[in-house]
């Protein structure tokens, strides 16, 4: 799937939003990718997951025993990646502010895991999820996401494979351009601000 085909999927589902957004990372942007919308159609979610799985090098893909994703944003794409890779998928969540496996999910010691996100901007959630996976006994062999918003700058400590890199500018709260500074920010993400 080409970058243009991926973006066409986002546009078709009205998942590419414009305005003033407060991202989960704490940064601001004039654009937001609402991955929940692009993934709400099961056929589209499956197509995107198959395309994302195809970005993984064969030597990594054959190692993967489990897919783990962070709740909430990564749950659907994580499930679809499990289907595409034919392995179990589970998720970590933050009942007390720190990611952990719950709901009877468990990893066997040394399970080789692919950590899957919907969007990576700063990598904070991804690194927290990787830490939780390792604390639960898994070994993260790679990470993947539908979208890399980091402009290629994110370091997750493992090989990272995004389906598409979209480099919409993001801004620190104290360095907003005038067109954003004059409008209230909408927070469409799922993570509470600190």
């Amino acid at each position: 799937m080409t970058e243009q085909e991926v973006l066409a999927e986002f546009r078709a589902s009205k998942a590419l939003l414009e305005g003033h957004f407060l991202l989960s990372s704490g940064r601001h942007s004039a654009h937001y990718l609402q991955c929940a919308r692009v993934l709400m159609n099961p056929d589209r979610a499956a197509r995107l997951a198959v395309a994302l799985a195809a970005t993984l090098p064969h030597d990594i893909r054959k190692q993967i025993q489990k897919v783990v994703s962070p709740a909430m944003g990564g749950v659907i794409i994580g499930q679809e990646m499990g289907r595409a890779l034919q392995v179990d998928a589970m998720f970590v969540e933050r009942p007390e502010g720190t990611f952990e496996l719950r709901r009877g999910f468990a990893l066997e010691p040394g399970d080789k895991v692919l950590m899957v996100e919907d969007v990576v901007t700063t990598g904070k959630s991804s690194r927290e999820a990787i830490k939780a996976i390792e604390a639960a006994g898994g070994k993260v062999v790679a990470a993947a996401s539908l979208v890399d918003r980091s402009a290629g700058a994110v370091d997750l400590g493992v090989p990272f494979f995004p389906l598409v890199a979209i480099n919409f500018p993001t801004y620190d709260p104290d360095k907003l351009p005038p067109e954003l500074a004059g409008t209230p920010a909408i927070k469409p993400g799922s993570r509470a601000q600190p």
Side-chain angles (χ1 to χ4, degrees):
M1 195 176 263
T2 68
E3 182 174 316
Q4 290 309 315
E5 289 169 330
V6 173
L7 290 176
E9 296 281 11
F10 276 87
R11 287 186 187 100
S13 62
K14 297 180 178 34
L16 180 54
L17 309 176
E18 294 185 2
H20 180 185
F21 303 99
L22 176 58
L23 306 177
S24 293
S25 64
R27 294 181 63 81
H28 292 247
S29 179
H31 297 89
Y32 187 80
L33 292 168
Q34 183 53 273
C35 285
R37 285 198 55 91
V38 79
L39 296 171
M40 73 183 186
N41 177 280
D43 290 335
R44 180 177 287 124
R47 279 194 306 275
L48 291 169
V50 166
L52 182 56
T55 69
L56 302 173
H58 180 72
D59 63 319
I60 289 177
R61 193 171 42 234
K62 70 181 182 183
Q63 293 180 54
I64 298 167
Q65 297 171 292
K66 302 276 184 350
V67 169
V68 179
S69 55
M72 278 296 299
V75 171
I76 295 171
I77 191 59
Q79 180 69 29
E80 290 298 329
M81 284 296 287
R83 182 190 324 266
L85 295 169
Q86 299 181 336
V87 299
D88 286 344
M90 58 189 79
F91 55 89
V92 291
E93 55 190 311
R94 291 184 177 104
E96 305 293 329
T98 303
F99 277 132
E100 61 185 78
L101 289 170
R102 299 185 53 182
R103 303 172 193 268
F105 292 148
L107 294 168
E108 296 297 321
D111 270 347
K112 299 214 172 31
V113 175
L114 174 69
M115 192 287 301
V116 178
E117 275 269 35
D118 55 352
V119 178
V120 172
T121 303
T122 65
K124 181 178 179 184
S125 288
S126 297
R127 285 187 297 274
E128 290 173 359
I130 289 168
K131 183 177 176 184
I133 293 163
E134 291 172 347
K139 174 166 179 25
V140 178
V141 295
S145 71
L146 287 176
V147 178
D148 174 8
R149 282 191 63 150
S150 78
V154 74
D155 180 2
L156 302 179
V158 297
F160 174 49
F161 302 95
L163 182 56
V164 66
I166 298 177
N167 299 320
F168 298 129
T170 63
Y171 307 95
D172 285 325
D174 58 345
K175 295 182 181 173
L176 297 178
E179 62 272 16
L180 293 184
T183 61
I186 297 167
K187 185 180 178 327
S190 63
R191 189 167 76 197
Q193 288 303 113

